[in-house]
Amino acid sequence: MWAGVFPAVTTKFTADDSLDHAEMERCYGLQMEAGCDGIIVCGSLGEGPMLSSDEKIEVLKTAQKVAGKKPVLLTVNEPGTREAASIARRAAKEGANGLMVVPSPIYHTDPQETVAALRAVAEAGDLPVMIYSNRLAYRVDVTVDLMEELASDKRFVAIKESSDDIRRSTEIINRLGDRYDLFTGVDNLAFEALSVGAIGWVAGLVTAFPRETVAIYQLMRKGRREEALKIYRWFRPLLDLDVSTYLVQNIKLAEVLAIDTNDRVRMPRQPLSGERRKAVEKIVKDALAVRPELPAF
């Protein structure tokens, strides 16, 4: 059902902390112009847990306006299953193409609870679901065993594999074949994951560098591995910014320098400052200074 580069887009705010729909339209448009294949809104990078349910639906509508016929997924990352089911129903009513579902980020469910919660959200929304498996960030491991248990429900169509263990991608394919659309969710493991069979990339730094991200993906799909690897090696210091407690601030600062936007975040986050800001600025500026020419693909 799904494949390609799906940006986990950032949420833009005005100076008074309201949603900045005009700037989101501009930034999301850059993703589409570069050839991205879908959009995922209100995830970790999109500061979803800091948004109200109404705001999430507003961001969804803005992304739909820009994406056209390309799929737009809403992230479900509510702490309680009741609230998760409610936003899933609202997303379906508003025409979302699917959901990316995170196990509760507050209560760390055991395997039985994880399966029950994911099923409840899928049933409530009755939409295609990408299971977000990220045991490092959320301390809940959606294991291959659980994926196999959920496979009988056709609404579960994809996996965002973010375990940080590249072996997991092969384990999923060996056990389940092509039952799920396998996406990598760790920017600085993307080349490796695409090399072993992932067909999609839920990307973060793509919001600042969409053309380079799409180029790596497309070159890999066409078997032009060495060309993709050359770009990926240049990209790697930037991609490392995604694997951080400060990923939102890091990537929004990269957007400031690469696509001329702002790095406003919602409290308790604050924009990077001091030595941390200088360090990230140096990484981004150093990369921009030697930005590669992209091959035709």
Side-chain angles (χ1 to χ4, degrees), residues 35-103:
C36 292
D37 300 283
I39 296 178
I40 299 177
V41 298
C42 304
S44 303
L45 182 55
E47 298 174 78
M50 310 304 172
L51 304 176
S52 70
S53 295
D54 288 345
E55 286 177 320
K56 289 183 177 185
I57 297 300
E58 289 181 40
V59 175
L60 170 68
K61 290 179 178 179
T62 296
Q64 290 171 322
K65 182 178 178 181
V66 175
K69 295 182 179 180
K70 293 182 178 180
V72 179
L73 280 60
L74 177 72
T75 306
V76 176
N77 48 17
E78 277 62 26
T81 302
R82 180 184 64 175
E83 292 76 17
S86 176
I87 194 69
R89 282 190 287 268
R90 290 188 66 181
K93 184 178 179 180
E94 296 299 338
N97 300 103
L99 308 170
M100 183 171 76
V101 182
V102 180

Side-chain angles (χ1 to χ4, degrees), residues 118-172:
L118 290 170
R119 281 181 171 157
V121 175
E123 289 169 6
D126 198 26
L127 289 170
V129 170
M130 177 183 291
I131 301 168
Y132 186 5
S133 176
N134 188 337
R135 61 188 179 187
L136 295 183
Y138 301 114
R139 298 204 284 177
V140 174
D141 192 4
V142 184
T143 63
V144 182
D145 286 342
L146 299 189
M147 295 175 197
E148 185 171 27
E149 186 172 350
L150 292 165
S152 60
D153 187 334
K154 293 182 179 179
R155 285 171 291 210
F156 294 107
V157 301
I159 305 293
K160 179 184 176 183
E161 164 45 34
S162 300
S163 70
D164 204 40
D165 182 351
I166 192 60
R167 293 170 293 191
R168 176 68 67 87
S169 295
T170 298
E171 290 165 4
I172 293 170

